[in-house]
Amino acid sequence: MVAQSDFAFRQLTRNHGATLTYTQMLHARNFVSSKSFRSDNYDFNTETEGLKYGNPPLIAQIAGDDVGYMTEAATILSESGVDGIDINLGCPQAIAKKGNYGAFLLPQTDITTEIVKSIKRNVPNTPLTAKIRIQEKLEDTLMIARKLEEAGVEMLTVHGRTVKENKTLTKQANWDAIREVVRHLEIPVIANGGIETPQDVEAILARTSAVGCMSSEALLENPSLYDFDNALPMDCPSRVFLDRQVKLCKEYIELAKLFPPVGNGRFGGHSAVKAHVFKMLYTAFSNPKFQDLRNKLGHKKTYRIDQTEEIVNDLEARLKIATDEEIQFPRTFSWYRRHRQPLVVQPVINKNAAKAEINMRLQTLKERRMKRMNSLT
């Protein structure tokens, strides 16, 4: 997950049952070449994370198609103290296609096996894993998986969808294909895809015989997905569900205060905070009654954690006085399913305000230009 697996969020998931976490995906070339990229994207906590402290292991994930950069990135990460290195061969996004990495590199087995062998030669003492997506044909999936195993991958995560099956084209994950990979490999296999509830975790493990279950998008909305002892039933009242989501947000915000996410851009690390809060409170923000809070969270003037915390507290207070009917929503409605259902609420855009802001920016640019010209004459 790019820019969404910050330390505070990883710790939140650990607090609620996660036994293995990953850093966000790191582009190997950028990671090796740019110190600013490393400082803005890599936040391994050397004082608390990992097996050496008796905590759940942390694996750093890298992506790229250049053997040299991938090997050097793995070396740097290994020396930093992480518990493992993961090669991302599952990203289906357009940027991965453009950069020839992720799921688009996966069929190029000559490159992927060379990367694996090079990392194993140069970083022999750090476990090496990989994540893949299934192919259109099962035999191609099995061939690729075997080649990765033979090259030196020590654990494989298999997403049960093809590269085309994402966003609006998302289909039911193919757990049977994952089961076949499990049957044909000697190394441990982690199952991934179609995990929305704790019941799904139990089901995919039973169906595939995998050693573990990975969640990404569903976990972003419900960081307590692996907290089996306190799992909510699907038919629980909306109020109970929303109360839990608010509590998770507040717990995350407290962690983010202690360990601010790294980052650059308009909001810096606070972009991650805003994104996490939005996903956790997606169902509440999709209610017209709370649309103003959704818009406020997304506004450029909300750039500090205390401002985001105020929005969450405001929502909590308003939920307490709302009637059950006012906050009722179908339990099948969620951020996880956002590509498979229409939005209930569209953000309100004030066209006049937007036009005024554009004119103000143009005027500022004009004044700066005139000032530069005057300085030259």
Side-chain angles (χ1 to χ4, degrees), residues 238 283 328-334:
S238 296
T283 51
Q328 188 65 30
F329 64 91
R331 283 308 307 274
T332 55
F333 183 82
S334 64

Side-chain angles (χ1 to χ4, degrees), residues 135-193:
Q135 304 298 290
E136 297 287 348
K137 297 179 180 179
L138 176 62
E139 54 265 34
D140 291 338
T141 303
L142 296 178
M143 179 272 293
I144 289 171
R146 281 194 293 264
K147 283 183 175 293
L148 289 171
E149 179 183 42
E150 292 168 359
V153 165
E154 296 165 76
M155 183 174 73
L156 193 68
T157 298
V158 183
H159 186 127
R161 296 188 180 96
T162 68
V163 67
K164 296 179 181 178
E165 294 172 342
N166 71 97
K167 295 187 176 180
T168 56
L169 298 178
T170 298
K171 298 179 180 178
Q172 180 64 39
N174 187 342
W175 292 357
D176 291 336
I178 300 175
R179 181 183 62 198
E180 289 304 306
V181 176
V182 172
R183 290 180 54 201
H184 282 79
L185 297 188
E186 297 294 329
I187 59 175
V189 173
I190 294 179
N192 176 231

Side-chain angles (χ1 to χ4, degrees), residues 266-267 274 295-304 307 357 360-361:
R266 174 189 280 183
F267 301 110
K274 292 174 62 160
N295 294 336
K296 188 175 181 180
L297 178 68
H299 200 280
K300 65 177 183 179
K301 291 184 178 179
T302 302
Y303 59 90
R304 300 192 313 270
Q307 295 172 312
E357 183 174 346
M360 182 179 68
R361 291 179 181 177

Side-chain angles (χ1 to χ4, degrees), residues 49 83 119 129 254 275 328:
E49 286 193 292
D83 298 303
I119 293 176
T129 69
E254 289 304 314
Q328 188 65 30

Side-chain angles (χ1 to χ4, degrees), residues 29-323:
R29 183 187 296 270
N30 295 338
F31 184 80
V32 170
S33 304
S34 172
K35 289 183 179 180
S36 62
F37 179 88
R38 290 197 293 274
S39 63
D40 287 333
N41 293 274
Y42 185 51
D43 66 345
F44 171 51
N45 191 314
T46 58
E47 297 180 358
T48 63
E49 286 193 292
L51 291 170
K52 61 185 175 182
Y53 296 103
N55 296 323
L58 175 72
I59 294 178
Q61 187 180 82
I62 56 176
D65 66 344
D66 184 279
V67 177
Y69 281 118
M70 289 289 282
T71 303
E72 190 170 352
T75 301
I76 295 171
L77 289 164
S78 174
E79 292 172 351
S80 75
V82 295
D83 298 303
I85 306 295
D86 184 73
I87 301 174
N88 184 315
L89 296 171
C91 181
Q93 306 303 325
I95 191 172
K97 182 177 182 179
K98 182 178 180 181
N100 194 37
Y101 61 84
F104 300 95
L105 181 66
L106 186 56
Q108 303 170 48
T109 54
D110 54 337
I111 298 178
T112 58
T113 54
E114 187 179 356
I115 288 172
V116 171
K117 291 178 181 178
S118 177
I119 293 176
K120 288 305 298 178
R121 284 195 304 270
N122 291 275
V123 195
N125 298 321
T126 301
L128 180 62
T129 69
K131 181 183 179 184
I132 69 172
R133 279 181 171 250
I134 62 171
Q135 304 298 290
E136 297 287 348
K137 297 179 180 179
L138 176 62
E139 54 265 34
D140 291 338
T141 303
L142 296 178
M143 179 272 293
I144 289 171
R146 281 194 293 264
K147 283 183 175 293
L148 289 171
E149 179 183 42
E150 292 168 359
V153 165
E154 296 165 76
M155 183 174 73
L156 193 68
T157 298
V158 183
H159 186 127
R161 296 188 180 96
T162 68
V163 67
K164 296 179 181 178
E165 294 172 342
N166 71 97
K167 295 187 176 180
T168 56
L169 298 178
T170 298
K171 298 179 180 178
Q172 180 64 39
N174 187 342
W175 292 357
D176 291 336
I178 300 175
R179 181 183 62 198
E180 289 304 306
V181 176
V182 172
R183 290 180 54 201
H184 282 79
L185 297 188
E186 297 294 329
I187 59 175
V189 173
I190 294 179
N192 176 231
I195 307 304
E196 186 176 11
T197 67
Q199 293 77 16
D200 293 331
V201 176
E202 296 176 356
I204 196 172
L205 293 177
R207 181 75 164 270
T208 65
S209 297
V211 300
C213 166
M214 173 189 283
S215 174
S216 54
E217 291 210 334
L219 196 68
L220 288 171
E221 183 170 22
N222 176 18
S224 65
L225 179 64
Y226 296 120
D227 189 358
F228 303 112
D229 293 336
N230 297 299
L232 297 180
M234 282 297 291
D235 60 351
C236 77
S238 296
R239 184 178 299 279
V240 174
F241 172 83
L242 293 174
D243 285 347
R244 182 195 67 183
Q245 295 303 104
V246 169
K247 288 179 181 177
L248 287 169
C249 268
K250 295 178 75 171
E251 183 180 352
Y252 169 70
I253 286 172
E254 289 304 314
L255 287 166
K257 287 179 183 178
L258 294 172
F259 309 101
V262 298
N264 55 11
R266 174 189 280 183
F267 301 110
H270 191 58
S271 293
V273 176
K274 292 174 62 160
H276 282 304
V277 169
F278 174 76
K279 294 176 179 68
M280 283 188 262
L281 297 179
Y282 180 85
T283 51
F285 288 151
S286 297
N287 186 322
K289 188 176 181 65
F290 309 117
Q291 183 179 3
D292 61 311
L293 295 180
R294 173 190 177 127
N295 294 336
K296 188 175 181 180
L297 178 68
H299 200 280
K300 65 177 183 179
K301 291 184 178 179
T302 302
Y303 59 90
R304 300 192 313 270
I305 196 165
D306 61 301
Q307 295 172 312
T308 297
E309 183 177 30
E310 183 180 343
I311 292 171
V312 175
N313 290 337
D314 192 357
L315 174 64
E316 182 179 37
R318 289 162 65 172
L319 284 172
K320 289 179 180 178
I321 61 176
T323 66

